[in-house]
Amino acid sequence: MKRPVVLMLLLLIIAAPVSAVDMLDISSKIVKTYPDEGETKTLSLIVMALSQALNKTPSLTPDDVWNRVEELLSWQNSDGGWGYFYGSVSSVPDTSYALIALSKAIKVFGDVKKKEKIRIAIIRGVSYLEKAFNKDGWGYLPGMRPDYRSTLLASAALVMLNEDLYLVKKAYPMLKDKIPDDPYLTYLWIVITSKIEGGIPNEALNKLQGNEAKLALKAYALLELKGLDFQTALILADLEKYKDNWTNKYYPIYATMAFSMVSERVINPTEDKLKATCSVLESSQNPDGGWGVYVGSPSSPSVTYFVLDSLKICNPMSPASKKGLEYMRKIYESEEEKVMVDQYLTQRYLFALLALLEYKNLTNIEKEKAKSLIMSTFWGDMFGKQPLTTALAIKALIMLGVPKTEKIIQENIKWLLSMKKNGGWGFTFETFLNKWYFAPLYPETTIILGILKDFVPKEQLADVISYVETNPPDQAWEVLYIYSILKSMGIEPKLNVCIESPGKSPLYDAFLVRYYSINPEVPRVNLYTVLSNLKNSSVELRSFDAGMARVIADGMKDILYTNVSVKLTKLPEVPEYGNYVLVYPVTVNVDISRYNSDVVITTSTSGYPVINGMPVYGDGVLLIVPGRNRNGELLFVLYAGKGYKDIANLIFNSPILKYLHGKAVIASWVDENRDGRVEIDELNVRFL
């Protein structure tokens, strides 16, 4: 493109009037109630448009689209074709219209039965077309002499269904040198020619201008063949002018098709899974105040201990926590009597004691009594000294104020380390004649590791760490427990964690709370969602560069009607709450993948940005990436090289801003004429 033309296009882009109204919402509302006029052609166009808009606008439900699809399926004749209207004799043109529509519909329905109905109808329809082929093309009816219109429609149907192109190639000479006058047929001609010859036939595209229907089909064709660019954005902006005053009856249908190409499913913020799991955990409490391994199973002091430990993350003052502590006090008091009589320190007593200690629910007198009882009893049972009991007793004594350096603590830690077997612990079984030690076992190994990690150097637990990673437990709750233990030790776990739905096992749910607290779910989001939510809203823009910040702020105000306040910072920062536009060099230390699970950005050794493993080269680069924090939308604008302000100006101060979509936008500039000026034809814009 020569510079005068570039300058003219740039002026048009900056001056182009745009609307904040969602065009797809407007057009799809019209199309879903559009009369089919009793014609297969019209019904097919409606199905084609609605299928592409499904899941991209709140105006459409799956039923809205399926009802029209089902109607079209019901019009299919026994020979596999469709007629001009319901019940009429099958014809090649009408069968082709229907198949083109179904080629779009089959892609959007996940329901197996619905997809199968469409698939079978397509197979029957393709069979009709194949049988109707006559030497070098198709006639209106099978056996008739081939004509241009029938051949064009049948060829387009087979191309869009990705069928074998043998018949299309045989018929193409009839189509090659003649571009039709009808706008929709021109669009189909472009699709066929592009498939057979490659490239984009500009002569045909130039015919699609004038009225609003032609503009819509031109935009749709360009978006299908090469994606969004500045010129197509201008066409879309022009299309919006007709939203209140359209004269061509097909305009809403074609506009729906075009705007569907630059729209996406709005991804709503996911449920706060930590909060939801906390709620489930509280609701699974037994009437006695405790929790069992499974919902409704008898309460267990050990399970209740782990649940109460997790409820400290949720809400330590909740009614469920208070009721759980009441249950644990009853266990504590009843077990205390047994320990005093039998002189065997029980795990039930220790779990109850630890829960009360962690919630600061014991008096000083009770603490002294507990300390004395632990130090004067046997840390095991009638079968011998037990590693798990010993570990729990060590933790309890330290929480009761006994220094870690005390002899009783040190000797028992040393004993525990000596009881490791192949990287784990188990339980002892002694009789007068023999002594057995069954190890390594779960959950003993898991719980003991969780206790000793706070008192023993990591090196002395290396064999245990290796064991739990290479021999993970079968129980899902223990996998989560080990995961949280290793993370707290600064180790990135090598475990395969499969998250299950909460509500079946309070024990599992307790560790799921821990998992979500240390490993919050990374959100999924797309540009369409973020930009839609930032329209007509207020947002704070943070940047190191005042000029860059002003370019972006002005563009968002003019194009998206966003109220942008600018805050210049010296350090990169990503706030946890609220809506923000964050404008930084690519090289800053911001982990984008924390705010968008689909995008990872690094920097190559040569300094080029790398997005999802793909290097981005150019004299100047601009990356636009959506993100999400705890309750707001984030728009990252990252730049590298030269000319990034001019790149930002071209994107943020043009209609293209409204139509950005995908996981990210990658804009790279190569100064081909080496004049140092960023020009539209030197800018490559891609959508991830």
Side-chain angles (χ1 to χ4, degrees):
M1 184 183 294
K2 297 180 180 179
R3 184 165 299 149
V5 179
V6 172
L7 183 59
M8 184 180 299
L9 179 58
L10 179 57
L11 290 172
L12 283 170
I13 287 175
I14 295 174
V18 292
S19 166
V21 179
D22 189 333
M23 267 298 298
L24 181 61
D25 193 44
I26 293 172
S27 61
S28 60
K29 281 180 180 177
I30 297 170
V31 176
K32 77 176 182 180
T33 58
Y34 205 85
D36 59 43
E37 301 174 332
E39 296 179 2
T40 298
K41 172 187 173 181
T42 305
L43 178 57
S44 297
L45 290 174
I46 292 170
V47 168
M48 184 179 183
L50 294 182
S51 295
Q52 291 173 97
L54 184 59
N55 298 322
K56 297 176 181 179
T57 170
S59 298
L60 282 181
T61 68
D63 284 345
D64 290 331
V65 184
W66 178 249
N67 289 340
R68 292 301 188 110
V69 173
E70 198 167 36
E71 183 182 6
L72 182 60
L73 294 176
S74 72
W75 288 16
Q76 189 173 28
N77 293 325
S78 59
D79 60 3
W82 280 261
Y84 187 80
F85 52 83
Y86 174 72
S88 63
V89 64
S90 299
S91 71
V92 167
D94 293 295
T95 300
S96 302
Y97 277 118
L99 288 174
I100 291 169
L102 294 179
S103 74
K104 307 298 182 183
I106 197 169
K107 297 175 182 178
V108 298
F109 286 101
D111 183 274
V112 176
K113 291 182 179 179
K114 291 177 179 177
K115 190 179 286 287
E116 184 64 8
K117 283 185 178 180
I118 298 172
R119 190 185 71 83
I120 291 172
I122 288 173
I123 291 173
R124 294 176 60 217
V126 169
S127 177
Y128 172 88
L129 288 185
E130 289 175 342
K131 292 174 182 177
F133 187 78
N134 187 8
K135 294 182 180 179
D136 56 0
W138 284 268
Y140 184 80
L141 297 174
M144 282 190 173
R145 183 178 178 180
D147 65 83
Y148 180 88
R149 181 171 177 271
S150 299
T151 298
L152 176 66
L153 283 161
S155 298
L158 295 178
V159 166
M160 291 187 178
L161 286 166
N162 292 314
E163 293 289 328
D164 190 294
L165 297 180
Y166 173 71
L167 297 181
V168 177
K169 289 178 179 178
K170 286 190 69 174
Y172 185 64
M174 181 184 292
L175 309 175
K176 182 177 180 180
D177 297 322
K178 181 182 178 182
I179 302 172
D181 294 324
D182 177 90
Y184 183 72
L185 296 184
T186 301
Y187 154 71
L188 295 181
W189 188 92
I190 291 169
V191 171
I192 297 166
T193 301
S194 178
K195 184 71 173 181
I196 299 299
E197 297 190 7
I200 300 174
N202 290 317
E203 183 183 356
L205 280 171
N206 291 335
K207 290 193 70 172
L208 292 176
Q209 53 192 13
N211 63 42
E212 62 269 34
K214 290 181 179 180
L215 283 177
L217 283 168
K218 183 174 185 177
Y220 181 61
L222 286 169
L223 290 166
E224 269 201 327
L225 295 175
K226 66 176 185 176
L228 180 65
D229 61 14
F230 290 93
Q231 289 175 302
T232 309
L234 274 178
I235 298 172
L236 292 171
D238 280 343
L239 279 176
E240 293 199 26
K241 299 175 186 176
Y242 297 95
K243 68 180 185 296
D244 297 320
N245 186 27
W246 43 279
T247 58
N248 187 290
K249 71 174 184 177
Y250 292 118
Y251 165 73
I253 293 175
Y254 299 154
T256 297
M257 290 160 54
F259 283 96
S260 291
M261 298 293 291
V262 290
S263 302
E264 296 176 292
R265 178 196 296 268
V266 172
I267 302 177
N268 294 317
T270 56
E271 180 183 33
D272 187 334
K273 294 191 175 181
L274 175 60
K275 183 178 179 181
T277 307
C278 287
S279 177
V280 169
L281 195 54
E282 292 178 355
S283 67
S284 62
Q285 189 172 32
N286 288 331
D288 62 6
W291 285 266
V293 174
Y294 299 102
V295 174
S297 64
S299 296
S300 158
S302 58
V303 174
T304 303
Y305 167 76
F306 289 122
V307 171
L308 286 171
D309 189 49
S310 292
L311 288 181
K312 288 190 297 181
I313 298 171
C314 302
N315 180 7
M317 301 302 293
S318 68
S321 298
K322 294 177 181 178
K323 191 175 179 181
L325 289 172
E326 291 172 3
Y327 165 81
M328 290 300 248
R329 177 162 284 279
K330 291 177 182 177
I331 297 295
Y332 165 75
E333 292 173 353
S334 63
E335 288 295 313
E336 182 184 57
E337 293 180 8
K338 293 180 183 179
V339 173
M340 292 175 66
V341 172
D342 299 334
Q343 290 297 294
Y344 290 127
L345 192 60
T346 68
Q347 293 172 15
R348 287 169 59 87
Y349 169 79
L350 289 167
F351 277 119
L353 172 64
L354 287 169
L356 296 173
L357 284 169
E358 290 178 9
Y359 273 83
K360 297 179 172 53
N361 210 261
L362 289 176
T363 66
N364 288 335
I365 294 175
E366 288 174 325
K367 289 179 183 178
E368 288 300 319
K369 185 178 179 181
K371 185 193 304 181
S372 175
L373 186 61
I374 293 172
M375 297 179 76
S376 64
T377 52
F378 181 65
W379 293 6
D381 51 31
M382 60 186 295
F383 300 114
K385 185 175 182 179
Q386 299 298 344
L388 180 54
T389 305
T390 301
L392 293 170
I394 291 171
K395 181 173 182 177
L397 284 179
I398 292 173
M399 291 190 71
L400 286 166
V402 177
K404 298 177 186 177
T405 54
E406 281 289 312
K407 182 179 179 181
I408 190 171
I409 302 292
Q410 289 301 310
E411 286 183 348
N412 280 287
I413 288 177
K414 184 177 180 181
W415 179 81
L416 272 178
L417 293 175
S418 72
M419 292 299 288
K420 285 189 296 179
K421 182 179 179 181
N422 297 327
W425 292 273
F427 71 90
T428 58
F429 186 88
E430 297 181 26
T431 67
F432 291 113
L433 299 175
N434 290 298
K435 178 180 180 180
W436 293 272
Y437 182 50
F438 301 97
L441 294 174
Y442 291 113
E444 287 85 354
T445 297
T446 311
I447 299 173
I448 294 171
L449 175 62
I451 293 171
L452 287 187
K453 69 178 177 61
D454 296 326
F455 314 126
V456 174
K458 187 188 299 184
E459 300 76 36
Q460 292 183 276
L461 299 172
D463 55 338
V464 184
I465 295 167
S466 176
Y467 174 76
V468 298
E469 286 195 314
T470 57
N471 301 277
D474 295 328
Q475 296 295 319
W477 72 267
E478 287 186 90
V479 175
L480 292 180
Y481 190 9
I482 292 170
Y483 183 95
S484 65
I485 290 170
L486 296 179
K487 288 286 278 189
S488 69
M489 296 175 73
I491 300 169
E492 193 58 39
K494 300 175 184 176
L495 300 168
N496 182 23
V497 177
C498 295
I499 301 302
E500 301 173 3
S501 298
K504 298 176 183 177
S505 167
L507 185 57
Y508 175 82
D509 296 346
F511 289 101
L512 189 57
V513 167
R514 292 194 194 185
Y515 176 83
Y516 284 137
S517 69
I518 63 175
N519 195 53
E521 187 176 26
V522 180
R524 296 196 68 197
V525 71
N526 56 41
L527 273 168
Y528 183 79
T529 298
V530 169
L531 292 175
S532 296
N533 289 334
L534 292 183
K535 286 181 183 177
N536 299 299
S537 67
S538 295
V539 63
E540 182 178 297
L541 186 154
R542 296 187 178 185
S543 178
F544 302 158
D545 188 319
M548 183 72 162
R550 183 46 53 198
V551 166
I552 294 171
D554 289 346
M556 292 186 69
K557 179 181 178 182
D558 293 341
I559 305 298
L560 301 179
Y561 304 96
T562 305
N563 180 26
V564 183
S565 61
V566 174
K567 179 180 179 180
L568 297 180
T569 61
K570 294 182 179 180
L571 295 173
E573 181 183 2
V574 183
E576 286 297 310
Y577 299 91
N579 296 335
Y580 291 87
V581 179
L582 304 165
V583 184
Y584 297 126
V586 172
T587 52
V588 300
N589 187 25
V590 174
D591 183 5
I592 300 293
S593 63
R594 284 190 57 199
Y595 309 97
N596 185 330
S597 61
D598 291 322
V599 178
V600 176
I601 296 177
T602 56
T603 306
S604 69
T605 54
S606 55
Y608 288 105
V610 178
I611 182 164
N612 288 5
M614 178 179 63
V616 182
Y617 302 108
D619 294 311
V621 171
L622 195 75
L623 306 179
I624 305 174
V625 184
R628 190 167 262 157
N629 56 22
R630 289 191 179 274
N631 72 345
E633 309 292 349
L634 302 173
L635 188 68
F636 295 94
V637 183
L638 308 176
Y639 53 88
K642 301 178 295 182
Y644 56 82
K645 289 180 188 176
D646 293 330
I647 300 173
N649 186 52
L650 283 175
I651 294 175
F652 280 87
N653 287 280
S654 80
I656 200 171
L657 179 63
K658 286 200 338 172
Y659 311 124
L660 297 182
H661 57 281
K663 298 175 183 177
V665 168
I666 305 166
S668 55
W669 165 61
V670 176
D671 190 8
E672 295 175 352
N673 56 18
R674 313 315 297 173
D675 65 352
R677 297 170 60 178
V678 178
E679 300 175 6
I680 288 177
D681 58 337
E682 296 176 331
L683 191 61
N684 180 24
V685 180
R686 289 171 288 163
F687 298 86
L688 187 66

